[in-house]
Amino acid sequence: MQRSERVKALIASGVLLGCLALASAAAFTSRGTAEVFIDGSNNTFTLAVAGSTQDSWQPTGAEWAGSSTAAPAAAVDTGGEPMVFAVNEPESIRVAVKNQSEALVGTVALAVTATATPEVLDHLYVTIRSQQATLVREMPLSRLRGIPWAADLAPGRHEVLDVTIELRPAPAPLPSENPVTVHFSFTGENR
């Protein structure tokens, strides 16, 4: 046998072995179809909120205000009137947020804003405490932005925050009664 014939025979043997390997692999390979149905009806993440000016208040079922918006606002019952602040007399408010989801855990942030005259607004200081920690300590309300807290809010669970707002003295005398409307809004993001 000549050299060129040996090369041809070797190449033909390699091709034959390759075809056998492919045929064997095809014999051990199978196909199937998997159908997956996704029902997102229990995968909504919404928040409910409530609030009160009572010191030991805990939210009840009827007090929760549900929301389909991204930032529900806590309705704190002050008799329909703005809160009235006197200098160095702190006011306490409790606000609560509840994760109404049946399945999704989420993080929540609180934003606090107020409507008042500029000279009053510049001297309102806020402290916010959760059950686990102080989130904000004596910060000017005018500088306060969204306040996230580290704990995740599990489905069906709620968190109550204690908010203390104090009107500090100003260089120029402030009126003895200063009406302030305080707004609390929550935003959440599911994980």
Side-chain angles (χ1 to χ4, degrees), residues 158-185:
H158 72 273
E159 180 80 32
V160 177
L161 299 176
D162 291 304
V163 181
T164 304
I165 301 174
E166 180 179 9
L167 180 61
R168 300 269 174 90
L174 293 171
S176 60
E177 292 187 350
N178 300 282
V180 178
T181 302
V182 182
H183 306 275
F184 300 91
S185 61

Side-chain angles (χ1 to χ4, degrees), residues 103-120:
L104 300 176
V105 174
T107 58
V108 180
L110 168 67
V112 183
T113 57
T115 305
T117 60
E119 60 271 6
V120 170

Side-chain angles (χ1 to χ4, degrees), residues 92-169:
S92 296
I93 303 163
R94 296 193 98 196
V95 292
V97 59
K98 180 180 181 182
N99 178 353
Q100 294 194 117
S101 171
E102 294 179 17
L104 300 176
V105 174
T107 58
V108 180
L110 168 67
V112 183
T113 57
T115 305
T117 60
E119 60 271 6
V120 170
L121 195 57
D122 288 341
H123 298 283
L124 289 173
Y125 283 74
V126 64
T127 298
I128 302 174
R129 293 180 183 86
S130 72
Q131 294 171 348
Q132 296 83 17
T134 298
L135 305 173
V136 173
R137 183 181 310 275
E138 299 180 2
M139 179 181 279
L141 186 57
S142 59
R143 290 189 337 174
L144 191 62
R145 301 295 177 256
I147 306 153
W149 58 90
D152 286 342
L153 196 54
R157 304 283 301 168
H158 72 273
E159 180 80 32
V160 177
L161 299 176
D162 291 304
V163 181
T164 304
I165 301 174
E166 180 179 9
L167 180 61
R168 300 269 174 90

